[in-house]
Amino acid sequence: MSDSPATNPATITRLGEVPGQAAAVGPFSHAVIANGFVFTSGQIPAITGLDDQPETFEGQVRQTIENLRAVLEAAGSSLAHVVKVNTYLTSQDQLEEYNRVYTEYFGSAKPARTSVCVSLWGVSLEIECVAVLA
């Protein structure tokens, strides 16, 4: 017989702020930790805020993945523990360069991934993921 939620409630932790990272640009957490998983909000190439981003797309991809790394580490995980990535690009022409930089960070780990082309507010890409706790 399995435990019901009333007798075994899930532990949920929300990370509203991550030291050294730009503040969230809306009413959401940078990440939520639940049942051994870390669910990140979409990370963008902001350094200190929306007005502070790398100039090149390559630099923006690197900054976004570094922001993702910082959130994961603050949550007790890492890029090596990522199981699913959702990527939002603003142009199909970005995919080749994105894949090149992405591979530098994820190498042969190859998490499951979805990549879509969308319209975003003031950024060229956004990345969210699900990881297991380290």
Side-chain angles (χ1 to χ4, degrees), residues 2 10 30 33 36 54 63 80 89 93 104-106 113 124 129 133:
S2 64
H30 278 289
I33 305 159
Q63 184 63 49
L89 303 173
D93 297 335
E104 290 177 25
Y105 283 89
F106 288 98
R113 188 179 100 183
S124 61
C129 74
L133 288 171

Side-chain angles (χ1 to χ4, degrees), residues 2 13 26 34 51 53-54 59 62 64 78-79 82 89 91 98 103 111 117-119 121 124 127-128:
S2 64
T13 304
D51 295 334
Q53 300 178 35
R62 290 184 190 287
T64 302
S78 69
L79 290 175
V82 171
L89 303 173
S91 170
Y98 173 77
T103 301
C117 190
V118 299
S119 177
W121 300 280
S124 61
I127 306 171
E128 64 184 25

